[in-house]
Amino acid sequence: MDKKQIWQAALGRLELTLSKANFATWFKNTFIIEIVDNEEHVILATPHAFAQAWLSKKYHKDILNSLQEVSDGKIKKITYEVSLVGDEKTVAKYEQQNRSSTQIQQENFSSQNKIEKKESSLGVFNLNPKYTFDTFIVGKNNELAYAAARGVAEFPGEKFNPLFIYGGVGIGKTHLAQGIGNEIIKNSADKKILYITSERFTNDYVDAIKGGRMKDFRLKYRSYDVIIIDDIQFLAGKEGTQEELFNTFNEYHQKNCQIVLTSDRPPQALSAFQERLKSRFSSGMIADISEPDLETRMAIIKAKLSEKKYNFDDNVIRYIATEVQKSVREIEGILNKIIVQYELRRIDPTIENVRDLITVYNEQNKKNVKFSPQQLIETVASFFDVTVESIKGVSRKKELVTPRQIAMYLLREELDASFPNIGSELGNRDHTTAMHSYQKIKTEVAANNRTKKDIEMIRERLYNGSYE
Ligand code: ADP
Ligand code: MG
């Protein structure tokens, strides 16, 4: 077989293991440039930098497997290159972009100014002018999502439509999604961008239905070039709104207008969503953001400090990055506290005072709550798609026991409720049951990533809901 046949055969195998959308998105315009090192090493051409990043990071194993199958195990290595053949427009643009990226950094200051001047027009679109690509720190946890966002901003509606960004709490989904909007306006000021949370979308829709103003609603929602809908997971179970979103989605898609969606989980994991919506969500590009690693957290801290013209000792920065791991939002919260203290005292912060501040911050965060035990239980119930009555009820089915125990755990952690109170909130159970449940979930959070993630998402809902 020659290299062309080998790649065709490998593609045939890959096609069977991937979704149609993913296959079409990532393997279009790929080919083998050459096979070197005694037929062991394949140099694979990809049409642009983010296909290169994506294939090598997400699909390397699959690609290698299929190449090994078709070569009887001979091929052992793959190098991914961006090739000028294929989609030349993309490549040329990307090459130029890469070349000028250092320049962009240097021009950072002047572009900031430009953005500020446009602030009034940006305000119309609900975009926060601070959420730009320039202020977004790229690390291993978000490099693919970032590349995808860049791609979308460069060719809105053309390349990856929709772009679906998902990931946990406070790790940059909104920042990146709005970054796309800000970048598009920076490049073409006449583009109309709609940024909206899914809750706002729901409320607008419900109001329009009630007031008999659906025509206006549609006119308004469909008059933009780009629509960004944040935290789509909150549409779970909202049939009417989903129906309307489906129509809106199709309109944008048909007009080749860009759609950007964010969510706390991937499309296939969205429960209480219409299948046809989920398949629409998956039809373009899906990119995840995970938690930043230590190095990225340090880079973020340094960037935030230098934005404010501060600089702390490296040890202190490392200490903060080690202690605060959950989300970038938390890192920012702690940093702000430290800076206030620093300004008061005019002494460089040491690890000792940072440690105290972090402890106090965590305590305050816990106490500063604005939701009731009942709201907490409702939030847990809706997260797991079960009713409040069944959580409080007697059934010992696993689908109910887990939410029940998590509700108990959160009542303790978030509201400092006593065990007897927790027991009585959850269907008059004994305080020893509450203690046992609390301990059990606490152990699970430490050991089980799934439980930890679930709880993070529930917390996010709790705190987001209460700020409205
Ligand atoms: P999410 O929408 O995922 O909950 P946000 O986008 O609101 O999170 O991010 C929370 C805060 O952290 C924001 O102030 C945002 O600017 C900041 N942030 C998140 N990720 C980054 C990053 N990679 N670089 C710089 N700032 C970030
Ligand atoms: Mg967000």
Side-chain angles (χ1 to χ4, degrees), residues 168-175 195 197 230-231 262 329 460 464:
V169 176
I171 52 172
K173 301 183 298 294
T174 299
H175 186 141
Y195 167 84
T197 62
D230 209 356
D231 288 324
T262 78
R329 189 174 293 142
E460 167 84 339
N464 270 354

Side-chain angles (χ1 to χ4, degrees), residues 161-332:
N161 206 10
L163 170 62
F164 189 101
I165 302 170
Y166 76 90
V169 176
I171 52 172
K173 301 183 298 294
T174 299
H175 186 141
L176 202 53
Q178 292 207 12
I180 295 172
N182 279 325
E183 181 74 13
I184 291 175
I185 301 186
K186 194 170 98 189
N187 297 335
S188 26
D190 56 328
K191 285 266 199 267
K192 287 184 71 191
I193 316 256
L194 176 64
Y195 167 84
I196 192 159
T197 62
S198 70
E199 281 111 326
R200 267 280 304 283
F201 184 79
T202 306
N203 292 343
D204 269 14
Y205 169 74
V206 172
D207 285 350
I209 291 267
K210 275 194 201 144
R213 281 180 283 101
M214 267 319 281
K215 220 173 149 190
D216 294 345
F217 175 91
R218 294 211 166 110
L219 263 176
K220 176 189 156 196
Y221 272 93
R222 296 180 188 175
S223 64
Y224 293 88
D225 300 297
V226 178
I227 185 168
I228 305 167
I229 309 184
D230 209 356
D231 288 324
I232 204 88
Q233 73 275 5
F234 291 129
L235 295 186
K238 302 203 165 89
E239 278 294 322
T241 315
Q242 287 187 19
E243 182 78 34
E244 191 52 33
L245 176 64
F246 183 74
N247 297 331
T248 310
F249 187 106
N250 290 342
E251 284 247 346
Y252 274 82
H253 209 262
Q254 270 156 24
K255 290 188 297 183
N256 286 335
C257 290
Q258 181 68 42
I259 306 152
V260 178
L261 304 163
T262 78
S263 160
D264 65 355
R265 63 196 84 181
Q268 64 273 24
L270 286 166
S271 54
F273 264 77
Q274 297 173 3
E275 278 306 319
R276 57 181 192 166
L277 256 186
K278 288 199 254 181
S279 94
R280 288 290 190 289
F281 292 167
S282 318
S283 65
M285 149 103 87
I286 303 173
D288 66 317
I289 304 183
S290 53
E291 283 158 18
D293 57 16
L294 181 67
E295 206 178 298
T296 311
R297 292 200 297 275
M298 287 182 65
I300 289 172
I301 294 172
K302 283 185 183 158
K304 303 274 169 196
L305 285 175
S306 88
E307 237 172 64
K308 297 185 161 110
K309 310 245 178 317
Y310 289 109
N311 192 13
F312 294 167
D313 192 74
D314 257 7
N315 283 331
V316 172
I317 292 176
R318 179 175 288 274
Y319 180 78
I320 303 169
T322 313
E323 286 300 303
V324 191
Q325 303 193 353
K326 262 206 223 138
S327 73
V328 182
R329 189 174 293 142
E330 254 191 352
I331 294 176
E332 287 185 334

Side-chain angles (χ1 to χ4, degrees), residues 60 172 313 382 404 432 438 442:
H60 176 71
D313 192 74
S382 98
R404 189 178 293 143
T432 51
Y438 173 76
K442 197 170 175 180

Side-chain angles (χ1 to χ4, degrees), residues 95-107:
E95 298 242 306
Q96 200 201 348
Q97 183 182 309
N98 283 343
R99 231 177 288 130
S100 55
S101 71
T102 36
Q103 222 175 318
I104 291 172
Q105 302 256 316
Q106 281 156 5
E107 284 168 5

